[in-house]
Amino acid sequence: MNRLLRIALRIDRMNAWLGRGIAWLTLAMVLVGAYNAIVRYLGRFVNWNLSSNAYLELQWHLFSAVFLLGAADALRRGAHVRVDLVYRRLSARGRAWIDLIGALVFLLPFTLVGFYLGFPSVRAAWRVREGSPDPGGLPLYPLKTLILVSFALLFLQGVAEVIRRIAVLRGVLDAVDPALAATVREDGSAQVVRGADDGSPRRAS
């Protein structure tokens, strides 16, 4: 179990590192969007087009990258939207069972199907070096590749979540901390996570 927890920790660190990088992409997206808005109105006064299709497409390319690459880190942090009617009332083992079944029945199969269905489109885009239908636009095939990268990262993070839920069910962990990196030692051995009465995790002892 410790070896599996070590694998989960490495997956967490990879997606956490990507998440920090994506934060800068968000800033870049805001700046590009602000530039497009400003020059659109400024161009009316000088009667000159200061923007281009490349700048306009760059904004939604950055948005797509943030959305696709950030999904796995959001799962790691427990930031995805959850309809929580009963979940918080359950014990740590009950929540672990729900998360485990959800990951095995829905999350992991979804990522595999998404990767399978997306692969032909990405392969075709690379074959023809698909570009923008608008003049002066950006190439599309690198952006489409992020679809496969997103599903792969989401699958890996799903595996990490499954490992942790199994650890809870086997009694290795008492609860699952969304930031598990703080609850596993460098050598991979697990520290006990004491869950609070309201279901929120506390720091490991």
Side-chain angles (χ1 to χ4, degrees), residues 6 15 25 28 32 41 53 64 75 102-103 122 137 143 150 174 177 190 202-203:
R6 190 181 303 115
N15 282 322
L25 289 183
V32 172
Y41 290 102
N53 287 330
S64 300
L75 177 62
V122 175
L143 182 64
S150 175
D174 284 350
D177 188 337
R202 297 176 183 169
R203 292 185 65 84

Side-chain angles (χ1 to χ4, degrees), residues 9 177 179-185 191 203-204:
L9 177 58
D177 188 337
L180 186 67
T183 67
V184 179
R185 299 186 182 93
Q191 293 174 294
R203 292 185 65 84

Side-chain angles (χ1 to χ4, degrees), residues 88 90 92 95 174-175 193-203:
R88 285 288 181 180
L90 299 177
R95 294 194 296 271
D174 284 350
V193 180
R194 299 296 181 185
D197 294 337
D198 62 357
S200 60
R202 297 176 183 169
R203 292 185 65 84

Side-chain angles (χ1 to χ4, degrees), residues 52-200:
S52 67
N53 287 330
Y55 285 116
L56 295 174
E57 291 185 2
L58 178 60
Q59 182 178 349
W60 64 264
H61 275 227
L62 290 172
F63 173 80
S64 300
V66 169
F67 175 80
L68 292 170
L69 297 178
D73 188 52
L75 177 62
R76 179 189 68 85
R77 295 183 289 105
H80 284 289
V81 175
R82 181 194 297 268
V83 180
D84 188 358
L85 299 177
V86 182
Y87 185 83
R88 285 288 181 180
R89 302 177 183 272
L90 299 177
S91 64
R93 288 181 60 83
R95 294 194 296 271
W97 272 116
I98 290 179
D99 291 339
L100 179 61
I101 294 173
L104 293 177
V105 176
F106 297 106
L107 175 60
L108 295 182
F110 169 76
T111 58
L112 293 175
V113 171
F115 191 95
Y116 175 78
L117 295 178
F119 183 80
S121 176
V122 175
R123 180 177 57 186
W126 273 90
R127 183 180 296 122
V128 299
R129 297 295 192 271
E130 183 179 0
S132 171
D134 299 317
L138 300 176
L140 291 177
Y141 61 94
L143 182 64
K144 284 191 173 183
T145 304
L146 295 184
I147 298 174
L148 301 185
V149 175
S150 175
F151 280 121
L153 293 174
L154 198 57
F155 176 84
L156 290 175
Q157 190 60 46
V159 170
E161 300 303 316
V162 166
I163 291 172
R164 283 195 284 274
R165 271 57 179 192
I166 293 175
V168 171
L169 295 175
R170 294 186 60 180
V172 178
L173 296 175
D174 284 350
V176 173
D177 188 337
L180 186 67
T183 67
V184 179
R185 299 186 182 93
E186 286 292 330
D187 62 1
S189 60
Q191 293 174 294
V192 176
V193 180
R194 299 296 181 185
D197 294 337
D198 62 357
S200 60

Side-chain angles (χ1 to χ4, degrees), residues 1 11 40 48-49 63 117 167 175 182 184 192:
M1 195 72 238
I11 294 173
R40 183 168 64 249
W48 187 28
N49 185 14
F63 173 80
L117 295 178
V184 179
V192 176

